[in-house]
Amino acid sequence: MHKLEKYVGRAVRLKQQAFERIKGSRRFFSSHDNCFLVAAIDRQMSRLICYGANRRIDVCAADIVLI
């Protein structure tokens, strides 16, 4: 779990495949909305909670790239 803590407070982008998957499930995403701030860790699910452009998403660490 210590590996996930290094992402908290950092700006990230989703990998293209993950972004397309989320974008497809939510029609209000545009192509320039792929920038998020990691705010917290969901320890039970081992997922990162990210905020960006008035949106909240949770993703696994394998789906993000540090900016």
Side-chain angles (χ1 to χ4, degrees):
M1 193 61 63
H2 297 291
K3 289 183 179 183
L4 293 179
E5 291 175 357
K6 72 178 182 178
Y7 294 112
V8 175
R10 305 285 303 267
V12 297
R13 289 189 187 270
L14 296 178
K15 290 183 179 177
Q16 190 63 33
Q17 184 178 14
F19 183 68
E20 291 297 325
R21 184 177 62 238
I22 290 173
K23 185 177 159 184
S25 67
R26 297 183 179 136
R27 63 185 170 144
F28 52 82
F29 271 98
S30 66
S31 60
H32 64 276
D33 288 341
N34 190 5
C35 187
F36 298 92
L37 176 69
V38 179
I41 303 169
D42 181 354
R43 295 187 188 281
Q44 293 175 342
M45 301 279 290
S46 295
R47 310 236 339 144
L48 300 168
I49 300 170
C50 304
Y51 291 92
N54 296 325
R55 291 164 179 87
R56 177 191 180 275
I57 61 169
D58 58 8
V59 294
C60 67
D63 289 338
I64 64 170
V65 177
L66 290 172
I67 296 178

